[in-house]
Amino acid sequence: METPTPSRLKSARKAAGLTQQQLGMALGMEPNTASARMNQYEKGKHAPDFLTMKRIAKELDVPVAYFYCEEDILSELICALGKLKKEEQIELLNTIRINKL
């Protein structure tokens, strides 16, 4: 199975309204190499290390887990949950735990 990271990265970047070069430069890459490097990540030719992925996630305002989740619906849930305040996440988790029993 292929990793979901490249396609998720591209989707999140586009949703944020950034070009590959803009995202790369926001991460501190040189302007003349930013687009090519991000393109390699989105094509799956190279994979960013976890710390770089965390920086990308922060820049795109998505949880880093979004990029690694295999199931599409679960990745969307991760994004939605990531937008909630910590208290709301805890409340929802407790509700799910109670209803599971």
Side-chain angles (χ1 to χ4, degrees):
M1 174 179 197
E2 288 187 29
T3 177
T5 304
S7 63
R8 296 253 167 77
L9 175 55
K10 185 175 184 177
S11 294
R13 176 185 58 78
K14 286 188 169 195
L18 298 173
T19 65
Q20 291 175 335
Q21 184 175 30
Q22 288 169 329
L23 177 56
M25 289 173 56
L27 298 170
M29 297 175 192
E30 293 295 323
N32 58 341
T33 61
S35 181
R37 190 163 165 196
M38 293 309 300
N39 185 269
Q40 289 184 346
Y41 292 160
E42 289 183 9
K43 297 282 186 195
K45 292 180 181 178
H46 293 285
D49 61 44
F50 187 74
L51 292 178
T52 301
M53 205 72 236
K54 281 180 67 169
R55 290 176 42 229
I56 291 170
K58 183 176 180 180
E59 192 65 38
L60 297 177
D61 194 30
V62 297
V64 71
Y66 166 77
F67 296 109
Y68 299 105
C69 184
E70 291 179 321
E71 297 85 16
D72 290 337
I73 187 118
L74 190 53
S75 70
E76 292 300 318
L77 284 166
I78 287 169
C79 280
L81 291 170
K83 304 260 187 240
L84 298 176
K85 295 177 184 169
K86 190 63 69 179
E87 299 81 26
E88 294 171 316
Q89 291 174 351
I90 292 168
E91 184 179 332
L92 183 57
L93 180 58
N94 287 334
T95 301
I96 291 169
R97 285 179 176 158
I98 290 169
N99 290 329
K100 185 179 176 189
L101 301 175

